[in-house]
Amino acid sequence: MRSVALSFILFSLISIILLPRQASAYRIALLPAQDLTASRSGLDIALTDQISEALLQQGFEVIPRQQIIDFLVANSIRRGGEIDSLTARRMSIQLGCEGILLTTITEKSIQRQPKIGMTIILLEGDSGEQIWGTTICDHINDSQPMLGIGRLETAQQIKQHSLRMMAEQLSETIVDLPELPPALPDYRITDIDLKPTLVRQGNPVFCRVKIKFLNDGPDYLEVETSAGSTILRKSRIAHYYEGAVATNPRDGIHPIRLKIHWSDGHSELVDNLINYQVANTPPPIKMHVATGLNIEETYAFSESVVIIPQMVEKRPLDRWKLVIKDREGKTILTEGKNASLPERLEWRGTDAYNQRLETGRYTMIMQVWDIAGNENRVATKFYLQPASQQMINISQVVIEGENYLKLLPAENQLVPVEQWSLQLETPDGNSVYNKTGWELPSLVPIPQDLPVDRLICSVQSLDRLGNNVEIKTAEINLTPSHDQVAQRPRMQTEWTADF
Amino acid sequence: MMKLLLSTIVTLLVSACVGQPPITTEIPGQHQTSDFCRITVLPFANDSDEPRLGLVAKKICQTELLQRGAQVVNEADVRLFLHRRQTFTSQLTDQGSRELYAALADELKTKGIIRGRILNISEEKSQGEIIPVVTLQLELINAMDGHLITSSFLRRSGDDYRTILHYGVIRTQTELIRQIIAEIFNDWISRGVVSCQKSA
């Protein structure tokens, strides 16, 4: 008798396990339908009610809406697309449902030519995995029955038809749907914050982990580095654990591992939770001068110079400071920010008050600090030469009774003259002599037997920065008695900043 | 008489299908096709003017995979993966690095990644009706090494499916996208680039 009873119980149990799923026994949590035709966060509650109705007609049990809303609010979930597999499993446990139905309206028109398009995805409660999905579409013109009998006429009829089709399809397939084991573990790390991500000389980092568990949390969480381990304390904010973590003093990128210690004694290891970086050297920085003329490691410019600061190796920066000093070491401009380096810098040869600076040599010093506190500075030398700067000094000399014009580069001139053109003309404006040269200094013989004793000399010079300056001298006396410096009554400049 | 009617219908049906352009599918390398039982669908890139079409196409793609019995990674799990790494979706869809794909494969236990792009969506007028036209590209990537397994490109009009009179025409964007994705999946399956050997 006992064996008969036992057999009956065993048979009943096996029958329950092997019995196919039936719509009538299937409890569904129906999430508010996401309406992508309205906005990314749009919801269609009226359609959700109609889906619920269609499901009920097929014999499904639908979880009351308020319970679902309460769950979504408690878990800060705005739409169905935010239900991850762990949340789906937690939802299933808390609401006592077997599946979670996510509906998304992809297309909708209720005016002329009504139509509807939607996707429906079913998440299995036990595993949180997607186990079924369908795309349903209906257009008023799709409905073309013979003789027009039963033709769908309104948007409402189209909607109801689509939902009925969906519910019937789900009801038919629910018995054959697979029961999947959970693919992902019973916890989910949703956020990790590490401050700072770069340290030096074994300074600790502060680690904050947001982790959710399917059921009760573990005994404790431990984070490990090659320098030691730390047990994280539970934060006042739900799901957060935090603590200071010892770091390896060696340069490089090092991993942090998380160990979850469960109450039953077993533990799980999460490798490569996050990495931290150790740097004990100054942040390597390079100043690439994109414009200007490099002359003996000094960058000459006239209008402006473009500098591209570059980090030679990737390192998060805390701040940078730029200082420009003149030849005497006096600071004339300071700039800086608590941020990473700017993509490019442009200096227009001005001071802190935006006043144009004089010709001369300047030094730009870029100072950077990484977030670990390592500091570095790079100095770049510049030579500012205004476009109107006189490049050539002209003087008249007499050598062995012959008249010459002596062309010398201007004093302290750094940028070489590339080409010069000399023209002599009579006071009436008649050109009597022209000469072009490429080298300085240069001695230009003044032709003899000129019909006049006095000449006007003008020299046009072009330097390697592209500056074009014209110098017009006063009259040159051709009396061969003495050397004299050619006079400059006025200077006309015709310059081109760039060419 | 009956035979004549039947042959006319068949001829009309066949002639309606003949006009469809073929799928352009590329299989770049001889990568050994792994079992792609568990697949991740990334949000589709969207070159059209309709802002949420990429999201729509991703969801349709998921449902098509589910209809074929594939296991599809929960989209919110992908979102959490990216959030944890402070990575934008575009970093995964446009320029996904080998390391990032490998991390995704490891963490979400997936082998195949599908990424798509809506290249164009427009409408055309046919027999007094507004019919959608969609151009779409779909790629399958091996998540373990980031290699492209296959890539398909297909442009379809809802009118391509007209059989007789007004029958067969696809009038909604959603259905046309679904149809294109279904055709590409069928092409991949017939070429043997996708398979799933489920353990007994």
Side-chain angles (χ1 to χ4, degrees), chain A residues 110-180:
Chain A
I110 51 170
Q111 303 299 326
R112 285 181 311 153
Q113 302 217 322
K115 61 181 175 183
I116 190 154
M118 62 181 114
T119 63
I120 296 120
I121 289 174
L122 182 69
L123 305 181
E124 193 196 29
D126 285 346
S127 62
E129 295 291 323
Q130 300 184 352
I131 51 165
W132 178 82
T134 190
T135 301
I136 301 273
C137 304
D138 250 327
H139 188 281
I140 191 90
N141 291 352
D142 290 347
S143 169
Q144 304 284 355
M146 292 291 279
L147 306 172
I149 298 164
R151 182 183 149 88
L152 304 176
E153 302 283 357
T154 63
Q156 195 60 21
Q157 285 174 349
I158 286 175
K159 221 185 267 184
Q160 281 172 348
H161 174 257
S162 297
L163 297 178
R164 197 172 59 245
M165 297 286 285
M166 179 276 293
E168 281 173 9
Q169 203 182 326
L170 180 60
S171 178
E172 281 166 17
T173 49
I174 199 83
V175 290
D176 300 323
L177 290 177
E179 287 183 18
L180 300 171

Side-chain angles (χ1 to χ4, degrees), chain A residues 192-252:
Chain A
I192 306 165
D193 190 23
L194 197 68
K195 276 185 184 162
T197 50
L198 178 84
V199 285
R200 64 173 177 174
Q201 292 162 357
N203 287 341
V205 290
F206 184 77
C207 182
R208 197 173 192 222
V209 181
K210 186 180 183 186
I211 184 167
K212 290 181 179 178
F213 297 97
L214 179 62
N215 297 307
D216 296 333
D219 260 7
Y220 61 95
L221 293 179
E222 185 183 10
V223 282
E224 284 182 350
T225 65
S226 50
S229 68
T230 307
I231 292 173
L232 296 179
R233 64 177 175 274
K234 206 169 180 177
S235 165
R236 285 179 188 171
I237 308 164
H239 311 299
Y240 277 96
Y241 294 80
E242 57 195 22
V245 185
T247 61
N248 191 320
R250 278 188 300 115
D251 275 29

Side-chain angles (χ1 to χ4, degrees), chain A residues 394 405 407 420-425 431 433-435 455-461 469-474 476 492:
Chain A
I394 312 159
L405 281 173
L407 274 63
W420 52 262
S421 304
L422 182 142
Q423 187 181 41
L424 295 176
E425 55 187 42
S431 177
Y433 182 69
N434 286 295
K435 170 86 176 167
L455 291 169
I456 294 169
C457 169
S458 62
V459 177
Q460 199 161 17
S461 53
V469 179
E470 186 182 3
I471 307 164
K472 277 205 171 182
T473 68
I476 298 169
Q492 283 183 357

Side-chain angles (χ1 to χ4, degrees), chain A residues 112-390:
Chain A
R112 285 181 311 153
Q113 302 217 322
K115 61 181 175 183
I116 190 154
M118 62 181 114
T119 63
I120 296 120
I121 289 174
L122 182 69
L123 305 181
E124 193 196 29
D126 285 346
S127 62
E129 295 291 323
Q130 300 184 352
I131 51 165
W132 178 82
T134 190
T135 301
I136 301 273
C137 304
D138 250 327
H139 188 281
I140 191 90
N141 291 352
D142 290 347
S143 169
Q144 304 284 355
M146 292 291 279
L147 306 172
I149 298 164
R151 182 183 149 88
L152 304 176
E153 302 283 357
T154 63
Q156 195 60 21
Q157 285 174 349
I158 286 175
K159 221 185 267 184
Q160 281 172 348
H161 174 257
S162 297
L163 297 178
R164 197 172 59 245
M165 297 286 285
M166 179 276 293
E168 281 173 9
Q169 203 182 326
L170 180 60
S171 178
E172 281 166 17
T173 49
I174 199 83
V175 290
D176 300 323
L177 290 177
E179 287 183 18
L180 300 171
L184 304 179
D186 292 351
Y187 59 85
R188 193 64 39 85
I189 299 161
T190 56
D191 202 10
I192 306 165
D193 190 23
L194 197 68
K195 276 185 184 162
T197 50
L198 178 84
V199 285
R200 64 173 177 174
Q201 292 162 357
N203 287 341
V205 290
F206 184 77
C207 182
R208 197 173 192 222
V209 181
K210 186 180 183 186
I211 184 167
K212 290 181 179 178
F213 297 97
L214 179 62
N215 297 307
D216 296 333
D219 260 7
Y220 61 95
L221 293 179
E222 185 183 10
V223 282
E224 284 182 350
T225 65
S226 50
S229 68
T230 307
I231 292 173
L232 296 179
R233 64 177 175 274
K234 206 169 180 177
S235 165
R236 285 179 188 171
I237 308 164
H239 311 299
Y240 277 96
Y241 294 80
E242 57 195 22
V245 185
T247 61
N248 191 320
R250 278 188 300 115
D251 275 29
I253 294 171
H254 306 278
I256 294 181
R257 292 176 296 276
L258 177 73
K259 227 174 183 178
I260 305 167
H261 295 272
W262 298 99
S263 54
D264 62 3
H266 89 280
S267 61
E268 280 179 76
L269 185 70
V270 181
D271 242 345
N272 290 321
L273 178 73
I274 195 167
N275 291 331
Y276 66 92
Q277 191 182 355
V278 176
N280 301 308
T281 54
I285 180 178
K286 197 174 145 189
M287 298 288 271
H288 170 66
V289 183
T291 59
L293 185 67
N294 185 355
I295 304 166
E296 297 159 8
E297 295 305 311
T298 298
Y299 294 89
F301 71 100
S302 289
E303 286 302 298
S304 67
V305 65
V306 174
I307 306 115
I308 299 168
Q310 293 168 331
M311 291 299 294
V312 178
E313 73 178 52
K314 201 176 172 187
R315 205 180 279 191
L317 285 189
D318 180 51
R319 64 188 195 276
W320 59 269
K321 186 182 171 189
L322 184 89
V323 177
I324 297 176
K325 293 184 174 186
D326 64 12
R327 200 166 190 172
E328 283 76 41
K330 185 183 156 197
T331 299
I332 52 167
L333 182 69
T334 306
E335 181 81 51
K337 270 188 182 167
N338 293 341
S340 55
L341 285 171
E343 277 184 21
R344 71 197 285 271
L345 293 158
E346 185 176 1
W347 183 40
R348 296 178 184 276
T350 53
D351 63 8
Y353 305 102
N354 214 21
Q355 297 295 312
R356 186 82 177 161
L357 292 164
E358 291 174 356
T359 305
R361 291 172 184 269
Y362 297 89
T363 306
M364 180 184 279
I365 301 154
M366 174 60 95
Q367 248 178 306
V368 290
W369 290 265
D370 65 24
I371 58 169
N374 300 302
E375 184 204 340
N376 198 5
R377 62 174 66 197
V378 178
T380 314
K381 290 176 186 168
F382 292 98
Y383 178 77
L384 171 64
Q385 177 177 299
S388 56
Q389 174 80 21
Q390 183 186 333

Side-chain angles (χ1 to χ4, degrees), chain B residues 38-42 65 71-73 78 104 108 110-115:
Chain B
R38 191 169 158 83
I39 294 175
T40 301
V41 182
L42 299 180
L65 285 167
Q71 203 182 329
V72 182
V73 173
V78 181
L104 185 125
L108 301 182
T110 181
K111 282 184 178 172
I113 294 173
I114 286 179
R115 65 178 182 194

